[in-house]
Amino acid sequence: MLELEVLESYAQSLDRSLFLDEEYQSFASLNRPLPIGYGQTISQPTLVVEMTYLLSPEPDSRVLEIGTGSGYQTAFLAHFARRVYTMERVGPLLRQAKKRLAALKFTNILYQEGDGSGGWSEHAPYDRIMVTAAARTIPPELLEQLAPLGRMVIPVGPPDLQELMLVTKDLAGNVKNQVVELVRFVELRGKYGWMEEKKRE
Ligand code: SAH
């Protein structure tokens, strides 16, 4: 397991204001979710630390992330894992995150614009999968794309309150789900979201 103190010290060293628009930068040090535009939010630092701890990426892990958003969580994953494949449906958010992470000198991140609820089969299987938007159910495609001995962290539940789930797969492919706590994320759109995309937009 990745040590909590190591994660906390990385969180201390990473300036969260780099992931925020100018108007919110002065709130960066507050342990609160903040708006990042397009109706989306960046999580509070303690939750990012906790979810990364649960995911426990290893130095040789290949990680799939659904919901790049600001790129803040992506930085944690890219710092502790070998490679990160990150997907975001809002193009401008993805491009901005890419710019920010490039400025921080990350070279081990692959970006994909589009609906990530069905995963990114091209690079599967993944040792770790991190979902940072609330799903209606655990997408079977993501389970399929999780490697043996893999771990997935995903909030599952209705738009207002979700169970944060830790999903683990053993060597034989058996899957176990654990509820860790209650969290509140913006909703995952697309196939396993709460509403059909067309009805919302
Ligand atoms: N981890 C982010 C927070 C993301 S908020 C951070 O640290 O800033 C959730 C993000 O998931 C939003 O940017 C939203 O646009 C994205 N999202 C929602 N549904 C998605 C889907 N089906 N595929 C890809 N991204 C999605």
Side-chain angles (χ1 to χ4, degrees), residues 67-97:
T68 319
S70 67
Y72 181 62
Q73 169 76 75
T74 318
F76 281 74
L77 299 173
H79 182 77
F80 291 104
R82 176 153 64 96
R83 191 168 276 279
V84 179
Y85 302 84
T86 188
M87 301 186 74
E88 169 59 56
R89 57 181 287 281
V90 180
L93 283 179
L94 186 70
R95 287 190 285 279
Q96 200 171 36

PDB file of all heavy atoms in Angstrom, residues 67-97:
ATOM      1  N   GLY A  67     -12.932  11.167 -15.839  1.00  0.00           N
ATOM      2  CA  GLY A  67     -13.282  12.472 -15.281  1.00  0.00           C
ATOM      3  C   GLY A  67     -12.049  13.271 -14.914  1.00  0.00           C
ATOM      4  O   GLY A  67     -11.773  13.526 -13.744  1.00  0.00           O
ATOM      5  N   THR A  68     -11.298  13.691 -15.938  1.00  0.00           N
ATOM      6  CA  THR A  68     -10.062  14.451 -15.711  1.00  0.00           C
ATOM      7  C   THR A  68     -10.329  15.754 -14.960  1.00  0.00           C
ATOM      8  O   THR A  68      -9.548  16.135 -14.073  1.00  0.00           O
ATOM      9  CB  THR A  68      -9.402  14.832 -17.066  1.00  0.00           C
ATOM     10  OG1 THR A  68      -9.493  13.735 -17.962  1.00  0.00           O
ATOM     11  CG2 THR A  68      -7.961  15.270 -16.884  1.00  0.00           C
ATOM     12  N   GLY A  69     -11.423  16.431 -15.324  1.00  0.00           N
ATOM     13  CA  GLY A  69     -11.774  17.704 -14.684  1.00  0.00           C
ATOM     14  C   GLY A  69     -10.625  18.692 -14.755  1.00  0.00           C
ATOM     15  O   GLY A  69     -10.109  19.001 -15.824  1.00  0.00           O
ATOM     16  N   SER A  70     -10.194  19.168 -13.591  1.00  0.00           N
ATOM     17  CA  SER A  70      -9.108  20.154 -13.526  1.00  0.00           C
ATOM     18  C   SER A  70      -7.735  19.524 -13.752  1.00  0.00           C
ATOM     19  O   SER A  70      -6.766  20.224 -14.007  1.00  0.00           O
ATOM     20  CB  SER A  70      -9.108  20.805 -12.142  1.00  0.00           C
ATOM     21  OG  SER A  70      -8.740  19.838 -11.166  1.00  0.00           O
ATOM     22  N   GLY A  71      -7.648  18.210 -13.566  1.00  0.00           N
ATOM     23  CA  GLY A  71      -6.350  17.542 -13.665  1.00  0.00           C
ATOM     24  C   GLY A  71      -5.651  17.373 -12.316  1.00  0.00           C
ATOM     25  O   GLY A  71      -4.557  16.788 -12.240  1.00  0.00           O
ATOM     26  N   TYR A  72      -6.283  17.857 -11.268  1.00  0.00           N
ATOM     27  CA  TYR A  72      -5.650  17.797  -9.935  1.00  0.00           C
ATOM     28  C   TYR A  72      -5.456  16.342  -9.460  1.00  0.00           C
ATOM     29  O   TYR A  72      -4.353  15.940  -9.092  1.00  0.00           O
ATOM     30  CB  TYR A  72      -6.520  18.583  -8.947  1.00  0.00           C
ATOM     31  CG  TYR A  72      -6.018  18.643  -7.522  1.00  0.00           C
ATOM     32  CD1 TYR A  72      -4.798  19.245  -7.215  1.00  0.00           C
ATOM     33  CD2 TYR A  72      -6.785  18.130  -6.481  1.00  0.00           C
ATOM     34  CE1 TYR A  72      -4.366  19.314  -5.896  1.00  0.00           C
ATOM     35  CE2 TYR A  72      -6.355  18.206  -5.163  1.00  0.00           C
ATOM     36  CZ  TYR A  72      -5.149  18.797  -4.872  1.00  0.00           C
ATOM     37  OH  TYR A  72      -4.715  18.863  -3.572  1.00  0.00           O
ATOM     38  N   GLN A  73      -6.530  15.552  -9.551  1.00  0.00           N
ATOM     39  CA  GLN A  73      -6.403  14.129  -9.180  1.00  0.00           C
ATOM     40  C   GLN A  73      -5.444  13.409 -10.130  1.00  0.00           C
ATOM     41  O   GLN A  73      -4.669  12.542  -9.703  1.00  0.00           O
ATOM     42  CB  GLN A  73      -7.797  13.481  -9.205  1.00  0.00           C
ATOM     43  CG  GLN A  73      -7.819  11.975  -9.115  1.00  0.00           C
ATOM     44  CD  GLN A  73      -7.550  11.446  -7.717  1.00  0.00           C
ATOM     45  OE1 GLN A  73      -8.403  11.504  -6.843  1.00  0.00           O
ATOM     46  NE2 GLN A  73      -6.342  10.943  -7.496  1.00  0.00           N
ATOM     47  N   THR A  74      -5.457  13.793 -11.387  1.00  0.00           N
ATOM     48  CA  THR A  74      -4.566  13.180 -12.384  1.00  0.00           C
ATOM     49  C   THR A  74      -3.105  13.324 -11.965  1.00  0.00           C
ATOM     50  O   THR A  74      -2.305  12.397 -12.144  1.00  0.00           O
ATOM     51  CB  THR A  74      -4.753  13.857 -13.773  1.00  0.00           C
ATOM     52  OG1 THR A  74      -6.136  14.063 -14.005  1.00  0.00           O
ATOM     53  CG2 THR A  74      -4.146  13.020 -14.879  1.00  0.00           C
ATOM     54  N   ALA A  75      -2.759  14.493 -11.416  1.00  0.00           N
ATOM     55  CA  ALA A  75      -1.375  14.738 -10.996  1.00  0.00           C
ATOM     56  C   ALA A  75      -0.943  13.726  -9.924  1.00  0.00           C
ATOM     57  O   ALA A  75       0.169  13.180  -9.987  1.00  0.00           O
ATOM     58  CB  ALA A  75      -1.225  16.168 -10.464  1.00  0.00           C
ATOM     59  N   PHE A  76      -1.825  13.446  -8.981  1.00  0.00           N
ATOM     60  CA  PHE A  76      -1.505  12.451  -7.943  1.00  0.00           C
ATOM     61  C   PHE A  76      -1.254  11.081  -8.573  1.00  0.00           C
ATOM     62  O   PHE A  76      -0.305  10.387  -8.223  1.00  0.00           O
ATOM     63  CB  PHE A  76      -2.667  12.316  -6.947  1.00  0.00           C
ATOM     64  CG  PHE A  76      -2.734  13.420  -5.923  1.00  0.00           C
ATOM     65  CD1 PHE A  76      -3.175  14.692  -6.278  1.00  0.00           C
ATOM     66  CD2 PHE A  76      -2.358  13.190  -4.609  1.00  0.00           C
ATOM     67  CE1 PHE A  76      -3.239  15.701  -5.340  1.00  0.00           C
ATOM     68  CE2 PHE A  76      -2.421  14.199  -3.664  1.00  0.00           C
ATOM     69  CZ  PHE A  76      -2.866  15.460  -4.026  1.00  0.00           C
ATOM     70  N   LEU A  77      -2.129  10.718  -9.507  1.00  0.00           N
ATOM     71  CA  LEU A  77      -1.997   9.405 -10.134  1.00  0.00           C
ATOM     72  C   LEU A  77      -0.703   9.326 -10.937  1.00  0.00           C
ATOM     73  O   LEU A  77       0.036   8.350 -10.856  1.00  0.00           O
ATOM     74  CB  LEU A  77      -3.206   9.132 -11.031  1.00  0.00           C
ATOM     75  CG  LEU A  77      -4.566   9.112 -10.304  1.00  0.00           C
ATOM     76  CD1 LEU A  77      -5.704   8.999 -11.313  1.00  0.00           C
ATOM     77  CD2 LEU A  77      -4.621   7.976  -9.284  1.00  0.00           C
ATOM     78  N   ALA A  78      -0.426  10.387 -11.701  1.00  0.00           N
ATOM     79  CA  ALA A  78       0.753  10.380 -12.570  1.00  0.00           C
ATOM     80  C   ALA A  78       2.048  10.423 -11.752  1.00  0.00           C
ATOM     81  O   ALA A  78       3.078   9.911 -12.184  1.00  0.00           O
ATOM     82  CB  ALA A  78       0.696  11.546 -13.549  1.00  0.00           C
ATOM     83  N   HIS A  79       1.970  11.022 -10.571  1.00  0.00           N
ATOM     84  CA  HIS A  79       3.155  11.086  -9.717  1.00  0.00           C
ATOM     85  C   HIS A  79       3.513   9.713  -9.144  1.00  0.00           C
ATOM     86  O   HIS A  79       4.690   9.379  -9.003  1.00  0.00           O
ATOM     87  CB  HIS A  79       2.927  12.076  -8.572  1.00  0.00           C
ATOM     88  CG  HIS A  79       4.115  12.242  -7.674  1.00  0.00           C
ATOM     89  ND1 HIS A  79       5.218  12.998  -8.031  1.00  0.00           N
ATOM     90  CD2 HIS A  79       4.402  11.729  -6.448  1.00  0.00           C
ATOM     91  CE1 HIS A  79       6.119  12.939  -7.066  1.00  0.00           C
ATOM     92  NE2 HIS A  79       5.645  12.191  -6.093  1.00  0.00           N
ATOM     93  N   PHE A  80       2.485   8.914  -8.829  1.00  0.00           N
ATOM     94  CA  PHE A  80       2.745   7.642  -8.140  1.00  0.00           C
ATOM     95  C   PHE A  80       2.673   6.414  -9.033  1.00  0.00           C
ATOM     96  O   PHE A  80       3.021   5.312  -8.592  1.00  0.00           O
ATOM     97  CB  PHE A  80       1.780   7.479  -6.957  1.00  0.00           C
ATOM     98  CG  PHE A  80       2.069   8.448  -5.832  1.00  0.00           C
ATOM     99  CD1 PHE A  80       1.272   9.560  -5.628  1.00  0.00           C
ATOM    100  CD2 PHE A  80       3.173   8.252  -5.007  1.00  0.00           C
ATOM    101  CE1 PHE A  80       1.552  10.467  -4.603  1.00  0.00           C
ATOM    102  CE2 PHE A  80       3.462   9.151  -3.982  1.00  0.00           C
ATOM    103  CZ  PHE A  80       2.653  10.256  -3.776  1.00  0.00           C
ATOM    104  N   ALA A  81       2.205   6.576 -10.275  1.00  0.00           N
ATOM    105  CA  ALA A  81       2.068   5.405 -11.150  1.00  0.00           C
ATOM    106  C   ALA A  81       2.955   5.546 -12.386  1.00  0.00           C
ATOM    107  O   ALA A  81       3.538   6.595 -12.629  1.00  0.00           O
ATOM    108  CB  ALA A  81       0.616   5.244 -11.569  1.00  0.00           C
ATOM    109  N   ARG A  82       3.018   4.462 -13.164  1.00  0.00           N
ATOM    110  CA  ARG A  82       3.855   4.491 -14.367  1.00  0.00           C
ATOM    111  C   ARG A  82       3.202   5.297 -15.484  1.00  0.00           C
ATOM    112  O   ARG A  82       3.847   6.105 -16.145  1.00  0.00           O
ATOM    113  CB  ARG A  82       4.083   3.049 -14.857  1.00  0.00           C
ATOM    114  CG  ARG A  82       4.853   2.973 -16.158  1.00  0.00           C
ATOM    115  CD  ARG A  82       5.618   1.684 -16.289  1.00  0.00           C
ATOM    116  NE  ARG A  82       4.754   0.517 -16.350  1.00  0.00           N
ATOM    117  CZ  ARG A  82       4.365  -0.066 -17.475  1.00  0.00           C
ATOM    118  NH1 ARG A  82       4.746   0.416 -18.641  1.00  0.00           N
ATOM    119  NH2 ARG A  82       3.606  -1.138 -17.438  1.00  0.00           N
ATOM    120  N   ARG A  83       1.927   5.034 -15.707  1.00  0.00           N
ATOM    121  CA  ARG A  83       1.243   5.717 -16.800  1.00  0.00           C
ATOM    122  C   ARG A  83      -0.226   5.934 -16.456  1.00  0.00           C
ATOM    123  O   ARG A  83      -0.837   5.093 -15.805  1.00  0.00           O
ATOM    124  CB  ARG A  83       1.354   4.874 -18.074  1.00  0.00           C
ATOM    125  CG  ARG A  83       0.926   5.592 -19.319  1.00  0.00           C
ATOM    126  CD  ARG A  83       1.335   4.822 -20.551  1.00  0.00           C
ATOM    127  NE  ARG A  83       2.723   5.097 -20.933  1.00  0.00           N
ATOM    128  CZ  ARG A  83       3.106   6.171 -21.623  1.00  0.00           C
ATOM    129  NH1 ARG A  83       2.246   7.083 -21.979  1.00  0.00           N
ATOM    130  NH2 ARG A  83       4.366   6.334 -21.959  1.00  0.00           N
ATOM    131  N   VAL A  84      -0.757   7.078 -16.875  1.00  0.00           N
ATOM    132  CA  VAL A  84      -2.160   7.385 -16.625  1.00  0.00           C
ATOM    133  C   VAL A  84      -2.874   7.640 -17.948  1.00  0.00           C
ATOM    134  O   VAL A  84      -2.378   8.384 -18.798  1.00  0.00           O
ATOM    135  CB  VAL A  84      -2.310   8.639 -15.712  1.00  0.00           C
ATOM    136  CG1 VAL A  84      -3.785   8.972 -15.487  1.00  0.00           C
ATOM    137  CG2 VAL A  84      -1.613   8.419 -14.378  1.00  0.00           C
ATOM    138  N   TYR A  85      -4.016   6.974 -18.107  1.00  0.00           N
ATOM    139  CA  TYR A  85      -4.890   7.178 -19.261  1.00  0.00           C
ATOM    140  C   TYR A  85      -6.111   7.895 -18.712  1.00  0.00           C
ATOM    141  O   TYR A  85      -6.857   7.327 -17.926  1.00  0.00           O
ATOM    142  CB  TYR A  85      -5.297   5.826 -19.870  1.00  0.00           C
ATOM    143  CG  TYR A  85      -4.093   5.024 -20.293  1.00  0.00           C
ATOM    144  CD1 TYR A  85      -3.386   4.234 -19.380  1.00  0.00           C
ATOM    145  CD2 TYR A  85      -3.635   5.062 -21.604  1.00  0.00           C
ATOM    146  CE1 TYR A  85      -2.263   3.516 -19.762  1.00  0.00           C
ATOM    147  CE2 TYR A  85      -2.510   4.336 -22.001  1.00  0.00           C
ATOM    148  CZ  TYR A  85      -1.835   3.573 -21.064  1.00  0.00           C
ATOM    149  OH  TYR A  85      -0.716   2.860 -21.447  1.00  0.00           O
ATOM    150  N   THR A  86      -6.286   9.163 -19.096  1.00  0.00           N
ATOM    151  CA  THR A  86      -7.364   9.932 -18.478  1.00  0.00           C
ATOM    152  C   THR A  86      -8.381  10.390 -19.513  1.00  0.00           C
ATOM    153  O   THR A  86      -8.015  10.814 -20.608  1.00  0.00           O
ATOM    154  CB  THR A  86      -6.794  11.112 -17.645  1.00  0.00           C
ATOM    155  OG1 THR A  86      -7.868  11.711 -16.904  1.00  0.00           O
ATOM    156  CG2 THR A  86      -6.114  12.173 -18.502  1.00  0.00           C
ATOM    157  N   MET A  87      -9.667  10.257 -19.175  1.00  0.00           N
ATOM    158  CA  MET A  87     -10.754  10.584 -20.102  1.00  0.00           C
ATOM    159  C   MET A  87     -11.664  11.661 -19.526  1.00  0.00           C
ATOM    160  O   MET A  87     -12.016  11.624 -18.344  1.00  0.00           O
ATOM    161  CB  MET A  87     -11.595   9.335 -20.392  1.00  0.00           C
ATOM    162  CG  MET A  87     -10.796   8.213 -21.002  1.00  0.00           C
ATOM    163  SD  MET A  87     -11.867   6.834 -21.494  1.00  0.00           S
ATOM    164  CE  MET A  87     -12.651   7.525 -22.954  1.00  0.00           C
ATOM    165  N   GLU A  88     -12.060  12.586 -20.384  1.00  0.00           N
ATOM    166  CA  GLU A  88     -12.926  13.701 -19.971  1.00  0.00           C
ATOM    167  C   GLU A  88     -13.858  14.046 -21.126  1.00  0.00           C
ATOM    168  O   GLU A  88     -13.410  14.181 -22.257  1.00  0.00           O
ATOM    169  CB  GLU A  88     -12.045  14.901 -19.583  1.00  0.00           C
ATOM    170  CG  GLU A  88     -12.765  16.213 -19.373  1.00  0.00           C
ATOM    171  CD  GLU A  88     -13.837  16.157 -18.292  1.00  0.00           C
ATOM    172  OE1 GLU A  88     -13.532  15.789 -17.148  1.00  0.00           O
ATOM    173  OE2 GLU A  88     -15.010  16.463 -18.619  1.00  0.00           O
ATOM    174  N   ARG A  89     -15.146  14.207 -20.813  1.00  0.00           N
ATOM    175  CA  ARG A  89     -16.109  14.482 -21.895  1.00  0.00           C
ATOM    176  C   ARG A  89     -16.175  15.953 -22.288  1.00  0.00           C
ATOM    177  O   ARG A  89     -16.604  16.282 -23.377  1.00  0.00           O
ATOM    178  CB  ARG A  89     -17.501  13.963 -21.540  1.00  0.00           C
ATOM    179  CG  ARG A  89     -18.061  14.519 -20.272  1.00  0.00           C
ATOM    180  CD  ARG A  89     -19.430  13.956 -19.971  1.00  0.00           C
ATOM    181  NE  ARG A  89     -20.441  14.510 -20.865  1.00  0.00           N
ATOM    182  CZ  ARG A  89     -20.984  15.721 -20.721  1.00  0.00           C
ATOM    183  NH1 ARG A  89     -20.607  16.492 -19.724  1.00  0.00           N
ATOM    184  NH2 ARG A  89     -21.900  16.139 -21.554  1.00  0.00           N
ATOM    185  N   VAL A  90     -15.747  16.846 -21.388  1.00  0.00           N
ATOM    186  CA  VAL A  90     -15.786  18.282 -21.699  1.00  0.00           C
ATOM    187  C   VAL A  90     -14.439  18.714 -22.289  1.00  0.00           C
ATOM    188  O   VAL A  90     -13.440  18.833 -21.565  1.00  0.00           O
ATOM    189  CB  VAL A  90     -16.117  19.121 -20.440  1.00  0.00           C
ATOM    190  CG1 VAL A  90     -16.157  20.605 -20.769  1.00  0.00           C
ATOM    191  CG2 VAL A  90     -17.441  18.664 -19.826  1.00  0.00           C
ATOM    192  N   GLY A  91     -14.433  18.933 -23.600  1.00  0.00           N
ATOM    193  CA  GLY A  91     -13.194  19.229 -24.320  1.00  0.00           C
ATOM    194  C   GLY A  91     -12.352  20.347 -23.717  1.00  0.00           C
ATOM    195  O   GLY A  91     -11.144  20.159 -23.491  1.00  0.00           O
ATOM    196  N   PRO A  92     -12.953  21.528 -23.453  1.00  0.00           N
ATOM    197  CA  PRO A  92     -12.146  22.626 -22.906  1.00  0.00           C
ATOM    198  C   PRO A  92     -11.498  22.279 -21.562  1.00  0.00           C
ATOM    199  O   PRO A  92     -10.361  22.696 -21.304  1.00  0.00           O
ATOM    200  CB  PRO A  92     -13.162  23.768 -22.748  1.00  0.00           C
ATOM    201  CG  PRO A  92     -14.259  23.450 -23.703  1.00  0.00           C
ATOM    202  CD  PRO A  92     -14.326  21.952 -23.785  1.00  0.00           C
ATOM    203  N   LEU A  93     -12.191  21.517 -20.722  1.00  0.00           N
ATOM    204  CA  LEU A  93     -11.589  21.105 -19.436  1.00  0.00           C
ATOM    205  C   LEU A  93     -10.384  20.205 -19.685  1.00  0.00           C
ATOM    206  O   LEU A  93      -9.341  20.350 -19.047  1.00  0.00           O
ATOM    207  CB  LEU A  93     -12.614  20.366 -18.553  1.00  0.00           C
ATOM    208  CG  LEU A  93     -13.665  21.210 -17.836  1.00  0.00           C
ATOM    209  CD1 LEU A  93     -14.617  20.307 -17.037  1.00  0.00           C
ATOM    210  CD2 LEU A  93     -13.013  22.230 -16.895  1.00  0.00           C
ATOM    211  N   LEU A  94     -10.550  19.279 -20.619  1.00  0.00           N
ATOM    212  CA  LEU A  94      -9.452  18.353 -20.910  1.00  0.00           C
ATOM    213  C   LEU A  94      -8.226  19.105 -21.432  1.00  0.00           C
ATOM    214  O   LEU A  94      -7.099  18.858 -20.993  1.00  0.00           O
ATOM    215  CB  LEU A  94      -9.890  17.296 -21.926  1.00  0.00           C
ATOM    216  CG  LEU A  94      -8.845  16.205 -22.167  1.00  0.00           C
ATOM    217  CD1 LEU A  94      -8.712  15.295 -20.951  1.00  0.00           C
ATOM    218  CD2 LEU A  94      -9.164  15.373 -23.387  1.00  0.00           C
ATOM    219  N   ARG A  95      -8.468  20.053 -22.352  1.00  0.00           N
ATOM    220  CA  ARG A  95      -7.336  20.786 -22.933  1.00  0.00           C
ATOM    221  C   ARG A  95      -6.608  21.634 -21.886  1.00  0.00           C
ATOM    222  O   ARG A  95      -5.378  21.718 -21.880  1.00  0.00           O
ATOM    223  CB  ARG A  95      -7.828  21.658 -24.101  1.00  0.00           C
ATOM    224  CG  ARG A  95      -8.167  20.800 -25.319  1.00  0.00           C
ATOM    225  CD  ARG A  95      -8.420  21.646 -26.547  1.00  0.00           C
ATOM    226  NE  ARG A  95      -9.714  22.309 -26.513  1.00  0.00           N
ATOM    227  CZ  ARG A  95     -10.869  21.722 -26.835  1.00  0.00           C
ATOM    228  NH1 ARG A  95     -10.892  20.471 -27.229  1.00  0.00           N
ATOM    229  NH2 ARG A  95     -12.001  22.389 -26.785  1.00  0.00           N
ATOM    230  N   GLN A  96      -7.402  22.219 -20.979  1.00  0.00           N
ATOM    231  CA  GLN A  96      -6.798  23.038 -19.932  1.00  0.00           C
ATOM    232  C   GLN A  96      -5.986  22.166 -18.960  1.00  0.00           C
ATOM    233  O   GLN A  96      -4.870  22.520 -18.569  1.00  0.00           O
ATOM    234  CB  GLN A  96      -7.923  23.733 -19.170  1.00  0.00           C
ATOM    235  CG  GLN A  96      -7.492  24.945 -18.403  1.00  0.00           C
ATOM    236  CD  GLN A  96      -8.721  25.676 -17.876  1.00  0.00           C
ATOM    237  OE1 GLN A  96      -9.709  25.045 -17.499  1.00  0.00           O
ATOM    238  NE2 GLN A  96      -8.656  26.988 -17.852  1.00  0.00           N
ATOM    239  N   ALA A  97      -6.553  21.013 -18.607  1.00  0.00           N
ATOM    240  CA  ALA A  97      -5.854  20.091 -17.695  1.00  0.00           C
ATOM    241  C   ALA A  97      -4.535  19.638 -18.335  1.00  0.00           C
ATOM    242  O   ALA A  97      -3.494  19.575 -17.674  1.00  0.00           O
ATOM    243  CB  ALA A  97      -6.744  18.888 -17.381  1.00  0.00           C
TER     244      ALA A  97
END
